[in-house]
Amino acid sequence: MIEPAVLTETLSHDLAALAPGGQVLTDDASLAEYSHDDAEWAPFEAPLAVVLATSTTEVAAIVKYARKRGIRIVPRGSGTGLSGGANGVRNCIVVSLELMREVVEINVDERYAVAQAGVINDALREAAAAVGLWYPPDPASSAISTIGGNAATNAGGICCVKYGVTRDYVLGLTVVLADGETVHLGRRTAKGVTGYDLTGLMVGSEGTLGIITEVTVKLLPLAGRVEQGIIGYFPSLPAAGAAVAAVSSEGIVPAALELIDRTCLRAVDDWLQLGLPADAHVLLLAKVDEPGAAGRELADRVAAIFTAAGGVDVEQAADSDDVARLFLARRMAYPSLERLGPVLTEDVCVPRSAVPEMLSRIQASAARHDVVIANIAHAGDGNLHPLIIAPEGDLDAKARAKAAFDEIVDDCRALGGTVTGEHGVGLLKLPGAAVELEPRVIGMHQAVKDALHPDGLFNPGKAFPQTAKA
Amino acid sequence: MIEPAVLTETLSHDLAALAPGGQVLTDDASLAEYSHDDAEWAPFEAPLAVVLATSTTEVAAIVKYARKRGIRIVPRGSGTGLSGGANGVRNCIVVSLELMREVVEINVDERYAVAQAGVINDALREAAAAVGLWYPPDPASSAISTIGGNAATNAGGICCVKYGVTRDYVLGLTVVLADGETVHLGRRTAKGVTGYDLTGLMVGSEGTLGIITEVTVKLLPLAGRVEQGIIGYFPSLPAAGAAVAAVSSEGIVPAALELIDRTCLRAVDDWLQLGLPADAHVLLLAKVDEPGAAGRELADRVAAIFTAAGGVDVEQAADSDDVARLFLARRMAYPSLERLGPVLTEDVCVPRSAVPEMLSRIQASAARHDVVIANIAHAGDGNLHPLIIAPEGDLDAKARAKAAFDEIVDDCRALGGTVTGEHGVGLLKLPGAAVELEPRVIGMHQAVKDALHPDGLFNPGKAFPQTAKA
């Protein structure tokens, strides 16, 4: 590791010359702001500088410059990551793609879109909708996260249970490699198997193999898509778990199947006074989007399953405003909890059938470590987000929260789960990944990274547990 | 490259000891049979021996043995590949997985199956169907190709237009690496982003990075899936092209949208006497599988689109036997053409909207090079299979066929296509891949291969154009 031999002023001047269309930030407030993503619980350091690049050419120039000087680069979209993947490391420049906001092309006939990395997920969805197309992946951060960050972390979302995750939609990428060269990976045709799936390898690699500057995504037709919502309150976790299992075993693949637990419901209701039932332990929210009568029939079946499993106040909505109203509690869950203190967000994914058991174990962890844990979950996927809350400034509570976090990861593994369903390894899940991945598989990660990126200056120490070479 | 220092007899004896449950073949007939897959047009050499392995342990033992002696390994499923990916190379052992036919587990609750690599695609589909689940990928070879080979080549099929390709269903893999170590990649949960997508990297790597011995695939519910078929004959390629474009632009994603041209129709009818219309230039075959009234309505819309575009004898079928009858010509297309002589199968994939233009160019190539070219196409994906036929033993015709093949690849590239939609690069598409992939991207392939597999003894010279190191 070569230490940077440049002073901040020189650095700032040089970077500004390399990114003439962009911005270079070196003031303390900016360096602090860009020193971490939404995972303050993970370690972070302030960067030497932040560059808001405006083109692939600028990114490439900065990479070449940094490489020559042994300066590390942490790429970043909106910084909404929850695992620390965009947290600053020692001796780094943060290269933010947030100003690269152009939707370059939407091809209606071939149903794909080309977007610069900084395009906001919702903006891409709106641009597609304007021409009758649909970009499904919908992380909870869709209003603020970028398509480049979504690709770098292989972001999930609510509709994944039926429609898959970001990787399932990425057809191609423009990537700046570690030596500053730019490559175009993938294709724009519906199918294609020319060579290794390097596009898929880049997706989810959390900026450790290259900087994604442009993304080509597959789109679906929007025509005829009508969502219907179904919700129900359940008196216990096992009752809700039985409902989730029954939906699956009846061969229904809902377009969403979300769970909110009592702690979360109370936080939402305390803030928004929605009049949610005070005695409800769990809220399940489902969507179906089959067309016409089939969709109505399916919604009725889901409602019947909810009722049969002990659900009460089971309600259906066919109108989109009404569906949005039913899902309001889900949308407001995270902000409602953030009001209570810094939230440490878990992201375990267990077998669907293990969801009730996993939720019970999470409750036990909360009690054992005396922390508040609220749960939202993509129940249809077995992907749980226990939200561990520790009051601001309470270091002891923070330590207890971290202990609960680790215990949840252990329990997830014991139930056959994976330590990160959709948020990525970043820094927070490195210990979990070290348990989940076989040592030789970790060695394969290191070998692939060393092969594509011998200097190791991109986002070092992230995405997988570092090890000796394979 | 170390030459093998072992005689056939010693080799045979040693291999038999390493694969006690399997078979070792060294007789001339077997060596000839296993010297190539279904791509005899590509170069091939007879192997030193063929091992039919029966376990991951046996495969691992053979790899360790071969590595020590510098003997190359060509892995193989049923040998139904169409690009030469399983063709024998100098100084190699063919390791066939065809005897590893156990469906290890089908988990109904979590909707996945674990199958040994040699399980036949249709057998997996039937095993899943027996418990109410569905494995979608349906290559034309589904009755004879293996799930391991499907994964190694990322096989496509007829339903891809709606349901995606093999990679979209592979959750995890057991792989024997080049040093004989065995790794388990991927997961069994619905979602998971722990580390790089090495599973996806192995899928489609054509046995150059490891030998896949076990595959975990995602399954869908079978319940409520009813297919309806729609066919129509068209007087011209542009008319059929307009119908394909209209289906897409109306936002319909059919479960199949296949095209058969006049040459192919004539070959089928000459053989089977189905009474297909003599003056038809193109047959389009579609399926939809939306449930209930929505499905019937959609089938009517597709039929109306066919008619509006000039289609005649437009027919619908809702009964599964009837749908199979409508699709008979599609199923029999390849065998009907093989009766006319060795078939050189193309696999270009162009933008959907370029299908008519591409088909016109293919007709022009056929005329220019005086060869017979019949066309079947996954029209809904833009994935065309021009089938170039040269009479047995006619070396001049074979050379002209090869010239037409190369021209088709050039035309596909000129229209923005990819040189292989679903068959893989193997050997036949190496020149095309060299044009399609940027030099630096080819270098990335080489770097990844060298990193995971420094000896290069697995299937050398396949899957991507070899080059100097990146």
Side-chain angles (χ1 to χ4, degrees), chain A residues 78 98-106 113-148 150 217 219 222:
Chain A
S78 297
E98 71 198 274
L99 296 185
M100 292 181 61
R101 284 185 290 226
E102 193 192 339
V103 176
V104 179
E105 180 192 358
I106 298 190
V114 182
Q116 288 187 323
V119 171
I120 298 294
N121 177 300
D122 275 352
L124 178 60
R125 186 170 299 102
E126 282 158 26
V131 292
L133 295 171
W134 180 42
Y135 177 67
D138 58 349
S141 59
S142 65
I144 46 174
S145 67
T146 65
I147 188 68
N150 291 173
V217 294
L219 302 173
L222 190 60

Side-chain angles (χ1 to χ4, degrees), chain A residues 91-229:
Chain A
N91 185 34
C92 83
I93 297 169
V94 167
V95 174
S96 170
L97 289 299
E98 71 198 274
L99 296 185
M100 292 181 61
R101 284 185 290 226
E102 193 192 339
V103 176
V104 179
E105 180 192 358
I106 298 190
N107 189 313
V108 176
D109 287 341
E110 308 304 325
R111 290 202 292 265
Y112 68 76
V114 182
Q116 288 187 323
V119 171
I120 298 294
N121 177 300
D122 275 352
L124 178 60
R125 186 170 299 102
E126 282 158 26
V131 292
L133 295 171
W134 180 42
Y135 177 67
D138 58 349
S141 59
S142 65
I144 46 174
S145 67
T146 65
I147 188 68
N150 291 173
T153 58
N154 190 21
I158 288 176
C159 76
C160 300
V161 60
K162 180 168 181 178
Y163 290 101
V165 296
T166 302
R167 182 179 285 117
D168 299 315
Y169 293 86
V170 177
L171 294 175
L173 295 170
T174 301
V175 176
V176 175
L177 299 178
D179 59 0
E181 293 299 313
T182 300
V183 290
H184 302 87
L185 304 174
R187 62 182 204 278
R188 294 185 179 189
T189 49
K191 285 155 80 180
V193 291
T194 308
Y196 298 159
D197 185 15
L198 298 180
T199 306
L201 181 64
M202 285 289 167
V203 174
S205 66
E206 302 185 1
T208 60
L209 300 178
I211 303 179
I212 295 169
T213 60
E214 206 169 275
V215 184
T216 302
V217 294
K218 179 172 78 171
L219 302 173
L220 299 182
L222 190 60
R225 228 183 83 77
V226 182
E227 288 185 343
Q228 299 188 65

Side-chain angles (χ1 to χ4, degrees), chain A residues 366-457:
Chain A
R368 188 153 42 240
H369 297 285
D370 187 25
V371 287
V372 174
I373 305 184
N375 283 285
I376 48 180
H378 307 304
D381 281 324
N383 188 191
L384 278 62
H385 294 311
L387 305 170
I388 314 173
I389 300 150
E392 189 81 58
D394 184 340
L395 288 181
D396 186 60
K398 196 169 173 178
R400 295 199 309 275
K402 191 59 179 49
F405 182 95
D406 293 340
E407 201 167 80
I408 289 168
V409 168
D410 292 344
D411 280 327
C412 141
R413 290 295 302 154
L415 294 173
T418 180
V419 301
T420 172
E422 59 180 10
H423 292 171
V425 170
L427 293 167
L428 280 180
K429 286 301 169 74
L430 289 174
V435 174
E436 180 173 337
L437 302 173
E438 295 171 354
R440 180 56 190 271
V441 174
I442 295 172
M444 291 171 74
H445 280 74
Q446 189 69 52
V448 167
K449 185 177 168 188
D450 290 344
L452 294 180
H453 180 17
D455 291 341
L457 294 178

Side-chain angles (χ1 to χ4, degrees), chain A residues 108-111 153-154 156-157 160 165 167-168 177 179 181-187 189-198 200-206 208-209 221 223 248-253 290-294 347 349-354 378 380-383 416-425 433 436-438 440-441 444-445 447-449 451-452 463-464, chain B residues 108-111 153-154 156-157 160 165 167-168 177 179 181-187 189-198 200-206 208-209 221 223 248-253 290-294 347 349-354 378 380-383 416-425 433 436-438 440-441 444-445 447-449 451-452 463-464:
Chain A
V108 176
D109 287 341
E110 308 304 325
R111 290 202 292 265
T153 58
N154 190 21
C160 300
V165 296
R167 182 179 285 117
D168 299 315
L177 299 178
D179 59 0
E181 293 299 313
T182 300
V183 290
H184 302 87
L185 304 174
R187 62 182 204 278
T189 49
K191 285 155 80 180
V193 291
T194 308
Y196 298 159
D197 185 15
L198 298 180
L201 181 64
M202 285 289 167
V203 174
S205 66
E206 302 185 1
T208 60
L209 300 178
S248 181
S249 68
E250 288 208 16
I252 298 170
V253 180
E290 273 68 9
D347 177 42
C349 189
V350 295
R352 275 180 276 262
S353 55
H378 307 304
D381 281 324
N383 188 191
T418 180
V419 301
T420 172
E422 59 180 10
H423 292 171
V425 170
E436 180 173 337
L437 302 173
E438 295 171 354
R440 180 56 190 271
V441 174
M444 291 171 74
H445 280 74
V448 167
K449 185 177 168 188
L452 294 180
F464 67 92
Chain B
V108 176
D109 287 342
E110 308 303 326
R111 290 202 292 267
T153 58
N154 190 20
C160 301
V165 295
R167 182 179 286 117
D168 299 316
L177 299 177
D179 60 358
E181 292 300 313
T182 300
V183 291
H184 302 87
L185 304 174
R187 62 183 205 275
T189 49
K191 286 155 78 180
V193 291
T194 308
Y196 298 159
D197 185 16
L198 298 180
L201 181 64
M202 285 289 167
V203 174
S205 66
E206 303 186 1
T208 61
L209 301 178
S248 180
S249 68
E250 287 209 17
I252 299 170
V253 179
E290 273 68 9
D347 177 42
C349 189
V350 295
R352 274 181 276 262
S353 55
H378 307 304
D381 281 324
N383 188 191
T418 180
V419 301
T420 173
E422 59 181 10
H423 292 171
V425 170
E436 180 173 337
L437 301 174
E438 295 171 354
R440 181 57 190 272
V441 174
M444 292 171 74
H445 280 73
V448 167
K449 186 177 167 189
L452 294 181
F464 67 91

